[in-house]
Amino acid sequence: MRRLAAALAARQTPDFEAWESLMLQAARRGGAGVLGSLLTHWQQHAPREVILCQCGQRMSSRGRRGKGLLTTLGRVPLARSFYQCGHCGRGRFPEDERLDIINTTYSPGVRRLMARAGSQTQFEQAAEDLCCYAGLQVQPREIERVAEEVGRQVEHWLSEQQGQVLKSEPAASPALEPKAKFYVSFDGTGIPVRKVELLGRRGKQADGSARTREVKLGCVFTQVGLDKEGYPQRDPDSTTYVGAIESSALFGWRIYAEARRRGLDQAKTVIVLTDGARYNRTIVQTHFHDAVHIVDLFHAYEHLTAIAQLLWGPEAKAPKAWRDLLEAGDIRRLVRKAGQQLPASAQSRKAMVKQLRYFEKNALQMRYAEYRAQKFFVGSGVVEAGCRTVIGERLKQSGMRWSVRGANAIIALRCCILSGRFEDFWTARTQ
Ligand SMILES: [Zn+2]
């Protein structure tokens, strides 16, 4: 390598970038060679163990079988021992098990990169990124397969942790700052799925059919301080996410477990922010009954505008008197005032009654003046931004059609990464 360097440096015009990439290639090739020797050395010196079959019988060695491994340093050949059971015929590669390369030709390091790249961007783009950043040549389909596999492992790890958190006593959660306000917020967002995932489902299309399935996304964050204008400020890096395409009952347990993991039991002030959908209320009643439940102010404004438009046409805005009543949280007077006149057509009247009922039903969760006085967040902006960044940016691109299984794997992966927990998962995975 030193000779190569001398030959390159002797040229007249320097080409720094070319030098860099040549050196990197040489370093990779050298490293792959050393890695290969390391593996062989380990195989020769590892203690011989008795290999047992699932059926309980002792397995016997059937010689070595080779496979080419793709590592972050390049291809490394590996010949590992194959064991077979004389009783039932099952086979095992014990060295693959020890090296964490069962049924795969990608090293753990490469799989981690593939999972991360595939969670960030479309698989074709991820393949280009890996080639460019890591010199790895892998097919988009392979990235898809590995990213989804790792995503399913993440989901498995998360659900095991969920189980532990739900079983554990409150003290097992991390310490919270005593003054911290503890927020839980969740919302839904549709992602495009394959036709088979929609059979028998009603949707929002004109003909009643559906094109999307709803991902439920939840987040937990804390707030201690206020900004310069005296508005509540979210603690930086305090937001963690959970999400899946699943029933609201299952999702309720998922978000509850996450809240407990984050310290729900220690929190003195717990606030749940939702958009007022019916299943939200059920989740709050089931899991967060002691919390202050706030219905997002901006959704409330949208409903108020809808009433104005039913009365005065599509350009209408809610009168200031109504908006003041909403900000004051005086929903009883607001409903009385806004309901004084009814639209002419029966259809509009029906829609109007529905809107008024939204306010009546959520009145207790709309005491905005009170919340503002206590410096609480009154908007669900954090989870809505989460729906865009965690879900939308990766799963709602044009031309995409997800399977529920594939989408849930990528959602688990993204929630894990964006909650800053991927390293924890990866370490726990090998133990
Ligand atoms: Zn057997």
PDB file of all heavy atoms in Angstrom, residues 1 49 107 175 361 403:
ATOM      1  N   MET A   1       0.834  -1.201   0.000  1.00  0.00           N
ATOM      2  CA  MET A   1       0.000   0.000   0.000  1.00  0.00           C
ATOM      3  C   MET A   1       0.869   1.253   0.000  1.00  0.00           C
ATOM      4  O   MET A   1       0.544   2.234  -0.651  1.00  0.00           O
ATOM      5  CB  MET A   1      -0.877   0.011   1.253  1.00  0.00           C
ATOM      6  CG  MET A   1      -2.215   0.654   0.983  1.00  0.00           C
ATOM      7  SD  MET A   1      -3.445   0.133   2.149  1.00  0.00           S
ATOM      8  CE  MET A   1      -4.303   1.665   2.385  1.00  0.00           C
ATOM      9  N   GLU A  49     -18.362 -28.366  20.929  1.00  0.00           N
ATOM     10  CA  GLU A  49     -19.503 -28.636  21.816  1.00  0.00           C
ATOM     11  C   GLU A  49     -20.344 -29.744  21.222  1.00  0.00           C
ATOM     12  O   GLU A  49     -20.308 -29.983  20.023  1.00  0.00           O
ATOM     13  CB  GLU A  49     -20.361 -27.373  21.955  1.00  0.00           C
ATOM     14  CG  GLU A  49     -19.729 -26.331  22.840  1.00  0.00           C
ATOM     15  CD  GLU A  49     -20.411 -24.976  22.734  1.00  0.00           C
ATOM     16  OE1 GLU A  49     -21.334 -24.839  21.894  1.00  0.00           O
ATOM     17  OE2 GLU A  49     -20.022 -24.069  23.478  1.00  0.00           O
ATOM     18  N   SER A 107     -23.753  -9.808   6.622  1.00  0.00           N
ATOM     19  CA  SER A 107     -23.215  -9.716   7.990  1.00  0.00           C
ATOM     20  C   SER A 107     -24.141  -8.833   8.823  1.00  0.00           C
ATOM     21  O   SER A 107     -24.914  -8.044   8.283  1.00  0.00           O
ATOM     22  CB  SER A 107     -21.812  -9.115   7.961  1.00  0.00           C
ATOM     23  OG  SER A 107     -21.903  -7.734   7.688  1.00  0.00           O
ATOM     24  N   ALA A 175     -36.746   8.177  36.179  1.00  0.00           N
ATOM     25  CA  ALA A 175     -37.117   9.331  36.999  1.00  0.00           C
ATOM     26  C   ALA A 175     -37.487  10.508  36.109  1.00  0.00           C
ATOM     27  O   ALA A 175     -36.871  10.750  35.088  1.00  0.00           O
ATOM     28  CB  ALA A 175     -35.953   9.702  37.900  1.00  0.00           C
ATOM     29  N   LYS A 361     -70.345  17.084  23.004  1.00  0.00           N
ATOM     30  CA  LYS A 361     -69.696  15.869  23.509  1.00  0.00           C
ATOM     31  C   LYS A 361     -68.324  16.155  24.092  1.00  0.00           C
ATOM     32  O   LYS A 361     -67.886  15.511  25.034  1.00  0.00           O
ATOM     33  CB  LYS A 361     -69.547  14.842  22.364  1.00  0.00           C
ATOM     34  CG  LYS A 361     -70.707  13.870  22.293  1.00  0.00           C
ATOM     35  CD  LYS A 361     -70.408  12.772  21.301  1.00  0.00           C
ATOM     36  CE  LYS A 361     -70.150  13.352  19.907  1.00  0.00           C
ATOM     37  NZ  LYS A 361     -70.212  12.372  18.829  1.00  0.00           N
ATOM     38  N   SER A 403     -48.247  -3.528   1.823  1.00  0.00           N
ATOM     39  CA  SER A 403     -48.966  -4.590   2.521  1.00  0.00           C
ATOM     40  C   SER A 403     -48.987  -4.160   3.980  1.00  0.00           C
ATOM     41  O   SER A 403     -48.097  -3.428   4.423  1.00  0.00           O
ATOM     42  CB  SER A 403     -48.249  -5.928   2.374  1.00  0.00           C
ATOM     43  OG  SER A 403     -47.020  -5.906   3.073  1.00  0.00           O
TER      44      SER A 403
END
